[in-house]
Amino acid sequence: MNDIKRKKVNKKRRLHALNEFTDSEVEYFINRIKDVKPFPKMRDLKGLLSPTLSLDKINAILKYLERSNGIIVDLDGNIVWIKENNLKQDTELSETANFSKEFVERFGKF
């Protein structure tokens, strides 16, 4: 008798990581967030983006955009700024933001 067991092959098994994402998914993420005024909190993203994006993809895209300076999230978990696609790569927040007159008078230009 042959006591060697054969390994079952699951054809439905995922061959890619759950947190991999495409450029189109990043664009979908950004476009959905831009539609919400004021920008949503991080805890609201799952309800806003699912079922199109899984929670793993949402977290991966969020971290990617934070590291690449595509978005800025404050300490309370609020998304406060999204970089527009038509801006130069080297622009900073102070160059692209529209500060109020009172803010500029109090803190000066950056």
Side-chain angles (χ1 to χ4, degrees), residues 14-101:
R14 295 181 187 212
L15 299 176
H16 61 279
L18 292 174
N19 61 352
E20 288 181 356
F21 52 88
T22 62
D23 290 337
S24 63
E25 290 172 329
V26 173
E27 289 296 320
Y28 174 77
F29 183 95
I30 292 172
N31 289 335
R32 289 287 292 169
I33 290 174
K34 283 182 184 177
D35 292 341
V36 178
K37 297 293 180 198
F39 294 136
K41 293 180 181 275
M42 288 177 23
R43 66 175 178 244
D44 300 331
L45 292 178
K46 182 180 178 188
L48 183 66
L49 299 168
S50 64
T52 305
L53 298 176
S54 67
L55 187 57
D56 294 323
K57 285 188 181 188
I58 292 170
N59 288 331
I61 292 171
L62 185 65
K63 294 299 178 196
Y64 164 74
L65 290 172
E66 281 184 293
R67 289 183 184 139
S68 64
N69 296 323
I71 63 172
I72 295 177
V73 179
D74 67 3
L75 297 176
D76 293 330
N78 299 315
I79 297 173
V80 294
W81 182 76
I82 298 176
K83 186 174 189 175
E84 297 290 332
N85 288 337
N86 57 358
L87 296 177
K88 298 184 302 186
Q89 292 287 30
D90 297 333
T91 56
E92 297 180 10
L93 174 62
S94 61
E95 296 172 2
T96 58
N98 294 324
F99 295 113
S100 68
K101 183 180 175 183

